[in-house]
Amino acid sequence: MKVVAFNGSPKKEGNTYQALKLVADELEKEGIEVEIVHVGNQVIRGCMACGGCGRNKDEKCVLQGDFLNVWVQKMKEADGILLGSPVHYSGIAGTMKSFLDRAFYVSSSNGNLFRHKVGAAVVAVRRSGGLPTFQQLNNFINYSEMLVPTSSYWNVIHGTKPGDVVEDGEGTQIMRTLGKNMAWLMKLVENGKDNVQEPEKEGKIFTSFVR
């Protein structure tokens, strides 16, 4: 089994990376491969709402010039997905948000590519804004019918300078617990595939508050 993790921080090995690594270490102890992809240092345009991915049905965003379509396929092939972001003005870092908007729109427009994968989010923050950012990341996971492992608290870890988060005793425990629970849930899903029938997928119903 494999997990692909996305580091939404501009810093390659800052506190967001350290948080992901704490989770990854526990997954690897259980024999699960983890690949950490650095998204936050890339130039990624936001979604243009053109609908091209839905019309073409080729599991690709029509925008060119970045690695988004490569990453979407990594997510499709993985058994689990980890999303990590620092906090920018009490929200997801901009580059990470652009990536998520496009990747998850490609997924939903092509039959929900990430449905029933195990998915979790982690956040690194200096002081405040961790919970709003965590909730924003979870919006993508929940919308995609992914399966969410929990931890002993919300998945937020604190630090300022790169590496500070390893001094956050409770935060590091949260990440370790998340990794253990994620590994366990992934194994339950894998072992249950041949024994428990997957619920039938329904076609999406779109409504508005106008008509």
Side-chain angles (χ1 to χ4, degrees):
M1 289 185 289
K2 181 175 181 177
V3 168
V4 60
F6 293 94
N7 174 12
S9 171
K11 298 181 175 66
K12 183 178 181 180
E13 296 187 356
N15 287 322
T16 303
Y17 170 84
Q18 299 296 333
L20 290 170
K21 191 67 169 62
L22 286 165
V23 180
D25 287 346
E26 298 301 323
L27 291 165
E28 289 171 343
K29 288 177 185 177
E30 296 298 322
I32 297 171
E33 180 186 352
V34 181
E35 177 184 2
I36 300 179
V37 177
H38 193 193
V39 170
N41 68 334
Q42 301 293 310
V43 177
I44 303 175
R45 292 183 61 182
C47 179
M48 302 297 288
C50 68
C53 56
R55 290 191 300 272
N56 296 333
K57 299 295 183 187
D58 59 359
E59 301 180 359
K60 294 180 180 178
C61 175
V62 299
L63 296 179
Q64 303 296 314
D66 56 37
F67 297 104
L68 182 125
N69 289 325
V70 174
W71 297 335
V72 167
Q73 291 305 307
K74 285 182 180 289
M75 297 165 81
K76 178 187 175 183
E77 293 165 7
D79 303 286
I81 299 170
L82 265 175
L83 306 178
S85 180
V87 175
H88 289 185
Y89 289 91
S90 209
I92 302 171
T95 301
M96 183 66 168
K97 180 64 162 59
S98 293
F99 158 63
L100 294 173
D101 283 344
R102 287 170 57 198
F104 278 80
Y105 194 43
V106 169
S107 169
S108 63
S109 298
N110 285 265
N112 201 353
L113 304 177
F114 311 147
R115 182 176 186 257
H116 292 171
K117 294 184 183 297
V118 176
V122 301
V123 173
V125 62
R126 180 187 67 84
R127 185 175 175 85
S128 298
L131 280 181
T133 305
F134 178 54
Q135 290 164 353
Q136 289 167 27
L137 290 171
N138 280 326
N139 286 338
F140 292 94
I141 293 170
N142 291 333
Y143 180 83
S144 301
E145 295 185 59
M146 296 174 73
L147 308 176
V148 186
T150 57
S151 188
S152 54
Y153 205 70
W154 295 283
N155 305 336
V156 180
I157 196 166
H158 291 79
T160 303
K161 300 186 300 298
D164 277 357
V165 291
V166 299
E167 303 299 324
D168 179 0
E170 185 174 1
T172 55
Q173 183 185 56
I174 292 166
M175 298 302 147
R176 290 196 307 271
T177 302
L178 174 63
K180 293 172 183 177
N181 288 344
M182 186 171 187
W184 182 62
L185 180 56
M186 289 177 66
K187 290 180 179 182
L188 288 178
V189 173
E190 182 65 23
N191 291 327
K193 283 180 179 177
D194 295 331
N195 301 309
V196 181
Q197 183 175 353
E198 186 178 31
E200 181 180 354
K201 180 167 60 176
E202 294 191 23
K204 182 71 175 176
I205 299 173
F206 289 94
T207 61
S208 72
F209 295 109
V210 178
R211 59 176 61 88

